[in-house]
C-alpha cells in the first residue's frame, strides 16, 4: 500500500514539474503561419511555442474583416517579413505640426522601442514643409544620436519647387544612420506663408516616397512604409561563442553572419542554398541549371550539384589518335595557334593605340577643366599682381596624387557633406591638408567668385587663420590645399572629458581672443571683407601650442565694399545660426558676431548647444545661459572642469560680452572689432593681475608632449555633432580616423 502511495506521489510531482516547465519554441507545421496574405515565418509566431522569443510575437487582428498583422503588443503594422535578409517591412507613423497650432512642436509616437529591432540604413528621413526643422532623436548602443534637416521656401509660389527633389526647398531628406534603435521624430515649424502652415516628417524605405509640390498643400498620409532589421538576442550568444549550443539557430546549411557586429547574431543560407536560415534543414539546394542562374557558356553542359553546379565543355570525346579525324584536329589546333599569335599582336597594337589616345584625351580634358575652373583667370591675376602678396600655388594632378599616395584611403583624415580631406606630403616635406569638394557650380559668376576667393584667401597672412597654400584646377572639381593643423578642434577640447580638464580658463580666454582677432581681421582688415558664415567650435582648429586657427571657408561670402549686407540662401549650423539672418535671409557681419557669442557660451559652460536630454528650460543653452546672468546664477551653468567656487570678475565680463553678442537684433550687437578689443583688454588685465598665467616655452612644450599631435579633422556639415574623434596621447591610444574637418 505504501509503495502505491509513493508511486502516485512521484507521478503527481512529475506532472506538476512538466506543467511548470517553460514553453519551448517549435518550428513545426502545427503553428499557424499566415495572417491574410502575409506569411509568418519562424522565428516569428502567433502563439506560445511558435516563436523563438517574445520579441518575435506577432498578433493577427481579424476583427475588421481584413486581417491586419501587428508586431507584439504594439500598433506597429507589418507588411512583409524577410528572414533570409533578417528584415521586416512595417508602416511607420508620420509626424505633423502646424504653425498656427497651440504647440508648434510635436513628437510622433515612440514608433520603435524594441529590443531586437533597428531602423535599416536603406531608409531615408523626409521632412515636408516651409521653414521647417525636423530631427530624428534615437539611440545607437548607449549613445544618443540627433540628426535632421531643414526645409525652406522662398515665397508662396510653388511653381519654383522641383518635383521629385528633396534638396531643401519644400522638402529635405537624409539617410538614416546605421544601427539606430529607440527613436522619435521631433518637428518644428516657423511657416507663416500662405501655402499651408503645416509640416510633416517621416522615415520611409528607399523608393517608398516621391516628393510632389502638391504635398505642401495637402499631405494626408498618416503612415509610410519603412524597413527594420533584427537579430537573435539570446543572452550573450554570438557567432563566435554559440556554434556548439543546441539552441543555436544557424544549423545545417545555414551559417552565422560573421560580418554582423551588433548584439546577438544573424543567420543566412550558404551560397547555393535558399530558404529560411533560422529553421534547421530549411536551406535547400538551388538548381542553378534549371533556374538559369549559372554562368556556363551556351556551348557548355550545366550539371547541378549540391550547393553548386559544374560547367562541362563539349569536346572530341571518343576520338583516338589513329582515327581519320586526328589530322583534321591537329591542323585545326595549329591554325588556332597561328590565329592566337596574330590576335595577341593585334591586341597589343590596339592597346598601345588606345592608351595613347586615352593619354591625349586626358590632357585635353585636363586643359578643359583648367579653363572651366578659371585657371587662366587665376594665372593672369597672379602674373598681373606687381607685389608678391598672391602666393597661391597651382598644383598639377600628378603632384597631388603623389602627395596623397594616389589618394590612398589611409590618407583620409575627414569626410563630410562638402567633400573629403586627405593628408598629403609635398616634395619639400611640408605636410598639408588637401580638400576635394563634392559640389561645384559651373556658372561664370561662381567661377569668378571662386577664383577671387582663392586669390584673397591666399593673401591672408594671419597667424590665427588657416593658410590656403594653393589649388588644383585640372579636375572637374577643384581641389584646395591648406596648411596642416595637428591637434584637433576646439569642439573636441571642450567636450572630450580628458582634454577639457587640460584647458584652463586662461587657455580658453586666449583661444577666444585669438579667434575674435581673426574674425575681426576678416571683417575689417582684409582687402575685401569676408563673412565666415559658419563660426562654431568645430571650425576652430587648435595647434600643438594651443594657438587657435579659424578654418572652413566653404560657406564664406565676400562682401563688396559698397554693401553692408548680402541676400543669400540661409546656410550654417543649427544652434549657431543668427536668428535675424534666418528670418530675413540678409547676411551681415553681425551674423558672425552672434555665432561667436554661441561659441563663448559653449566654452564657458562646457555643454553642447543642442541636447534634448536636458530639462526643457535648459535645452536651449543660449537662453538658459542668458537667464543665469539675469538671475545671478551664473556659477551653476559654468563648466565644472573650471573648478570654481565663485565667479571671477573676468568670467563675468566675458559672459556679459557673450550676452551682448546674442542680442536678437543685429544692430544691438557689438562689431567683431569691438569684441576683439574687449577680449584683449580682459586678457591684458589677467596678465597684469596674475603674471604667471602666461605660458612659458617649457610649459608649452610640456602641453605638447601631454596632448600629442593628432592627425584627425572634422569636416562638419549637418552630420552628427555628438561625434568627436580627436584624442590626445594622454586620453586614448591611437585610433582609426573618423569624420574630420576644418578644411573646405
Amino acid at each position: 500500500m505504501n509503495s502505491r502511495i509513493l508511486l502516485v506521489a512521484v507521478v503527481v510531482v512529475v506532472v506538476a514539474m512538466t506543467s511548470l516547465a517553460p514553453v519551448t519554441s517549435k518550428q513545426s507545421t502545427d503553428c499557424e503561419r499566415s495572417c491574410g496574405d502575409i506569411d509568418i515565418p519562424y522565428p516569428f509566431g502567433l502563439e506560445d511555442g511558435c516563436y523563438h522569443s517574445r520579441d518575435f510575437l506577432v498578433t493577427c487582428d481579424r476583427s475588421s474583416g481584413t486581417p491586419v498583422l501587428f508586431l507584439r503588443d504594439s500598433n506597429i503594422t507589418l507588411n512583409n517579413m524577410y528572414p533570409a535578409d533578417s528584415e521586416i517591412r512595417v508602416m511607420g507613423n508620420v509626424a505633423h505640426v502646424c504653425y498656427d497650432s497651440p504647440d508648434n512642436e510635436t513628437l510622433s509616437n515612440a514608433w520603435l522601442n524594441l529590443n531586437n529591432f533597428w531602423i535599416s540604413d536603406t531608409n531615408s528621413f523626409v521632412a515636408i514643409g516651409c521653414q521647417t526643422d525636423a530631427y530624428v532623436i534615437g539611440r545607437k548602443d548607449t549613445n544618443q544620436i540627433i540628426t535632421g534637416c531643414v526645409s525652406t521656401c522662398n515665397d508662396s509660389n510653388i511653381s519654383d519647387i522641383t518635383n521629385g527633389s528633396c534638396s531643401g526647398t519644400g522638402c529635405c531628406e537624409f539617410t538614416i544612420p546605421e544601427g539606430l534603435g529607440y527613436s522619435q521624430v521631433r518637428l518644428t515649424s516657423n511657416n507663416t506663408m500662405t501655402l499651408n502652415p503645416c509640416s510633416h516628417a517621416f522615415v520611409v524605405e528607399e523608393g517608398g516616397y516621391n516628393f510632389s509640390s502638391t504635398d505642401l498643400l495637402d499631405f494626408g498620409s498618416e503612415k509610410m512604409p519603412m524597413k527594420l532589421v533584427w537579430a537573435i538576442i539570446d543572452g550573450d550568444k554570438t557567432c563566435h561563442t554559440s556554434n556548439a549550443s543546441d539552441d543555436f539557430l544557424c544549423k545545417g546549411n545555414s551559417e552565422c553572419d560573421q560580418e554582423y557586429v551588433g548584439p546577438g547574431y544573424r543567420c543566412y543560407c550558404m551560397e547555393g542554398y535558399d530558404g529560411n536560415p533560422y529553421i534547421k534543414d530549411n536551406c535547400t539546394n538551388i538548381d542553378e541549371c534549371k533556374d538559369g542562374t549559372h554562368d556556363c557558356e551556351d556551348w557548355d553542359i550545366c550539371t547541378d550539384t549540391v550547393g553548386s553546379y559544374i560547367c562541362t565543355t563539349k569536346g572530341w570525346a571518343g576520338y583516338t589518335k589513329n582515327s581519320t579525324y586526328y589530322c583534321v584536329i591537329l591542323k585545326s589546333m595549329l591554325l588556332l595557334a597561328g590565329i592566337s599569335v596574330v590576335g595577341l599582336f593585334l591586341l597589343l597594337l590596339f592597346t598601345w593605340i588606345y592608351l595613347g589616345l586615352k593619354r591625349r584625351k586626358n590632357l585635353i580634358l585636363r586643359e578643359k577643366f583648367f579653363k572651366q575652373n578659371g585657371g587662366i583667370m587665376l594665372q593672369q591675376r597672379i602674373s598681373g599682381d606687381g607685389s608678391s602678396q598672391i602666393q597661391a600655388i597651382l598644383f598639377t594632378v600628378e603632384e597631388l596624387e603623389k602627395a596623397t599616395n594616389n589618394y590612398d584611403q589611409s590618407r583620409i583624415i575627414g569626410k563630410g557633406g562638402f567633400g573629403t580631406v586627405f593628408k598629403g606630403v609635398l616634395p619639400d616635406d611640408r605636410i598639408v591638408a588637401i580638400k576635394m569638394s563634392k559640389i561645384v557650380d559651373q556658372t561664370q559668376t561662381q567661377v569668378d567668385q571662386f577664383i577671387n576667393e582663392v586669390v584673397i584667401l591666399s593673401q591672408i597672412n594671419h597667424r590665427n587663420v588657416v593658410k590656403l597654400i594653393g589649388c588644383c584646377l585640372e579636375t572637374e572639381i577643384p581641389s584646395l590645399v591648406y596648411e596642416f593643423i595637428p591637434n584637433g578642434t576646439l569642439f573636441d577640447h571642450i567636450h572630450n572629458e580628458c582634454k577639457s580638464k587640460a584647458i584652463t580658463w586662461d587657455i580658453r580666454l586666449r583661444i577666444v581672443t585669438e579667434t575674435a582677432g581673426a574674425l575681426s581681421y576678416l571683417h575689417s582688415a582684409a582687402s575685401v571683407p569676408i563673412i565666415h558664415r559658419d563660426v562654431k567650435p568645430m571650425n576652430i582648429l587648435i595647434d600643438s601650442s594651443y594657438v587657435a586657427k579659424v578654418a572652413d571657408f566653404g560657406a564664406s561670402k565676400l562682401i563688396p565694399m559698397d554693401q553692408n549686407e548680402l541676400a543669400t540662401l540661409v546656410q550654417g549650423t543649427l544652434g549657431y545660426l543668427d536668428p535675424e539672418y534666418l528670418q530675413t535671409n540678409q547676411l551681415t557681419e553681425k551674423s558672425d558676431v552672434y555665432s561667436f557669442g554661441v561659441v563663448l557660451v559653449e566654452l564657458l559652460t562646457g555643454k553642447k548647444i543642442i541636447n534634448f536630454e536636458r530639462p526643457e528650460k535648459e535645452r536651449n543653452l543660449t537662453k538658459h545661459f542668458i537667464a543665469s546672468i539675469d538671475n545671478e546664477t551664473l556659477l551653476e551653468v559654468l563648466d565644472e572642469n573650471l573648478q570654481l567656487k565663485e565667479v571671477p570678475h573676468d568670467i563675468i565680463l566675458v559672459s556679459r560680452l557673450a550676452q551682448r553678442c546674442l542680442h536678437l537684433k543685429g544692430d544691438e550687437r557689438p562689431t567683431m572689432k569691438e569684441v576683439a578689443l574687449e577680449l584683449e583688454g580682459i586678457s591684458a588685465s589677467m596678465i597684469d593681475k596674475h603674471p604667471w598665467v602666461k605660458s612659458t616655452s617649457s610649459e608649452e612644450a610640456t602641453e605638447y608632449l601631454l596632448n600629442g599631435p593628432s592627425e584627425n579633422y572634422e569636416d562638419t556639415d549637418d552630420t552628427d555633432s555628438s561625434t568627436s574623434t580627436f584624442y590626445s596621447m594622454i586620453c586614448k591610444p591611437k585610433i582609426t580616423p573618423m569624420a574630420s574637418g576644418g578644411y573646405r
Side-chain angles (χ1 to χ4, degrees), residues 588-636:
T588 69
E589 296 175 354
K590 297 296 182 71
S591 300
D592 279 354
V593 175
Y594 182 89
S595 301
F596 182 77
V598 179
V599 173
L600 288 178
V601 172
E602 193 166 351
L603 192 71
L604 286 164
T605 62
K607 299 180 179 65
K608 295 177 182 177
I609 295 301
I610 298 178
N611 189 342
F612 292 102
E613 289 187 342
R614 293 195 292 256
E616 185 173 356
K617 68 176 184 177
E618 299 179 14
R619 289 177 184 173
N620 189 324
L621 185 59
T622 55
K623 291 183 179 178
H624 181 56
F625 179 81
I626 293 173
S628 69
I629 297 177
D630 297 336
N631 299 333
E632 298 183 355
T633 58
L634 182 60
L635 183 60
E636 297 178 6

Side-chain angles (χ1 to χ4, degrees), residues 438-451:
K438 285 184 178 179
I439 304 172
V440 66
D441 191 335
Q442 295 295 344
T443 64
Q444 186 60 43
T445 302
Q446 291 297 324
V447 171
D448 293 345
Q449 184 176 354
F450 169 77
I451 295 302

Side-chain angles (χ1 to χ4, degrees), residues 634-661:
L634 182 60
L635 183 60
E636 297 178 6
V637 301
L638 293 178
D639 191 350
E640 294 178 356
N641 290 321
L642 294 177
Q643 299 180 351
L644 300 174
K645 294 183 179 179
E646 60 181 14
V647 184
H649 182 64
D650 48 331
I651 290 184
I652 294 176
L653 293 177
V654 175
S655 300
R656 290 175 177 170
L657 175 61
Q659 183 181 25
R660 298 202 307 274
C661 292

